[in-house]
Coordinates of all heavy atoms in Angstrom, one line a residue:
Chain B
L319 N -128.6 -7.5 -7.0 CA -127.3 -6.9 -7.0 C -127.2 -5.9 -5.7 O -126.2 -5.9 -5.0 CB -127.1 -6.1 -8.3 CG -125.7 -5.7 -8.6 CD1 -124.8 -6.9 -8.7 CD2 -125.6 -4.9 -9.9
L320 N -128.3 -5.2 -5.5 CA -128.4 -4.4 -4.3 C -128.2 -5.2 -3.0 O -127.5 -4.8 -2.1 CB -129.7 -3.6 -4.3 CG -129.9 -2.5 -5.4 CD1 -131.2 -1.8 -5.3 CD2 -128.7 -1.5 -5.4
A321 N -128.9 -6.3 -2.9 CA -128.8 -7.2 -1.8 C -127.3 -7.6 -1.6 O -126.8 -7.7 -0.5 CB -129.7 -8.4 -1.9
D322 N -126.7 -7.9 -2.7 CA -125.3 -8.3 -2.7 C -124.4 -7.2 -2.1 O -123.5 -7.5 -1.3 CB -124.7 -8.7 -4.0 CG -125.2 -10.0 -4.5 OD1 -125.6 -10.8 -3.6 OD2 -125.2 -10.3 -5.7
V323 N -124.7 -6.0 -2.5 CA -123.9 -4.9 -1.9 C -124.1 -4.8 -0.4 O -123.1 -4.6 0.4 CB -124.3 -3.5 -2.6 CG1 -123.6 -2.4 -2.0 CG2 -123.9 -3.6 -4.1
G324 N -125.3 -5.0 0.0 CA -125.6 -5.0 1.4 C -124.9 -6.1 2.2 O -124.3 -5.9 3.2
Y325 N -124.8 -7.3 1.6 CA -124.1 -8.4 2.1 C -122.6 -8.0 2.3 O -122.0 -8.3 3.3 CB -124.3 -9.6 1.2 CG -123.9 -10.9 1.8 CD1 -124.9 -11.8 2.3 CD2 -122.6 -11.3 1.9 CE1 -124.6 -13.0 2.8 CE2 -122.3 -12.5 2.5 CZ -123.3 -13.4 2.9 OH -123.0 -14.6 3.5
L326 N -122.1 -7.4 1.2 CA -120.7 -7.0 1.2 C -120.4 -6.1 2.4 O -119.3 -6.2 3.0 CB -120.4 -6.4 -0.1 CG -119.0 -6.3 -0.6 CD1 -118.5 -7.7 -0.9 CD2 -118.9 -5.4 -1.8
L327 N -121.3 -5.2 2.6 CA -121.1 -4.2 3.7 C -121.1 -4.9 5.0 O -120.4 -4.4 6.0 CB -122.1 -3.1 3.6 CG -122.0 -2.2 2.4 CD1 -123.1 -1.2 2.3 CD2 -120.7 -1.5 2.3
L328 N -121.9 -5.9 5.2 CA -122.1 -6.6 6.5 C -121.1 -7.7 6.8 O -120.8 -8.0 7.9 CB -123.5 -7.1 6.6 CG -124.6 -6.1 7.0 CD1 -125.9 -6.7 6.9 CD2 -124.3 -5.5 8.4
D329 N -120.6 -8.3 5.7 CA -119.7 -9.5 5.9 C -118.3 -9.2 5.5 O -118.0 -9.1 4.4 CB -120.3 -10.7 5.1 CG -119.5 -11.9 5.5 OD1 -118.6 -11.9 6.3 OD2 -119.9 -13.0 5.0
P330 N -117.4 -9.0 6.5 CA -116.0 -8.7 6.2 C -115.3 -9.8 5.4 O -114.4 -9.5 4.7 CB -115.4 -8.5 7.6 CG -116.3 -9.2 8.6 CD -117.7 -9.1 8.0
R331 N -115.8 -11.0 5.5 CA -115.1 -12.1 4.9 C -115.1 -11.9 3.3 O -114.2 -12.1 2.7 CB -115.7 -13.5 5.2 CG -115.3 -13.9 6.6 CD -116.1 -15.1 7.1 NE -117.5 -14.7 7.2 CZ -118.4 -15.5 7.7 NH1 -118.1 -16.7 8.1 NH2 -119.6 -15.1 7.8
T332 N -116.3 -11.5 2.8 CA -116.4 -11.3 1.4 C -115.6 -10.1 0.9 O -115.1 -10.1 -0.2 CB -117.8 -11.1 0.9 OG1 -118.5 -10.2 1.8 CG2 -118.6 -12.4 0.8
R333 N -115.4 -9.2 1.9 CA -114.6 -8.0 1.5 C -113.2 -8.3 1.3 O -112.5 -7.9 0.4 CB -114.7 -6.9 2.6 CG -115.5 -5.7 2.2 CD -115.6 -4.7 3.3 NE -116.6 -5.2 4.3 CZ -116.6 -4.8 5.5 NH1 -115.7 -4.0 6.0 NH2 -117.6 -5.1 6.4
R334 N -112.7 -9.2 2.2 CA -111.2 -9.5 2.1 C -110.9 -10.4 0.9 O -109.8 -10.4 0.4 CB -110.8 -10.2 3.4 CG -109.3 -10.0 3.7 CD -108.8 -10.7 4.9 NE -109.7 -10.9 5.9 CZ -109.8 -12.1 6.5 NH1 -109.1 -13.1 6.1 NH2 -110.6 -12.3 7.5

Side-chain angles (χ1 to χ4, degrees):
Chain B
L319 199 61
L320 293 179
D322 283 339
V323 174
Y325 196 100
L326 201 67
L327 294 176
L328 281 171
D329 189 355
R331 283 168 297 188
T332 43
R333 247 178 284 157
R334 207 184 329 134

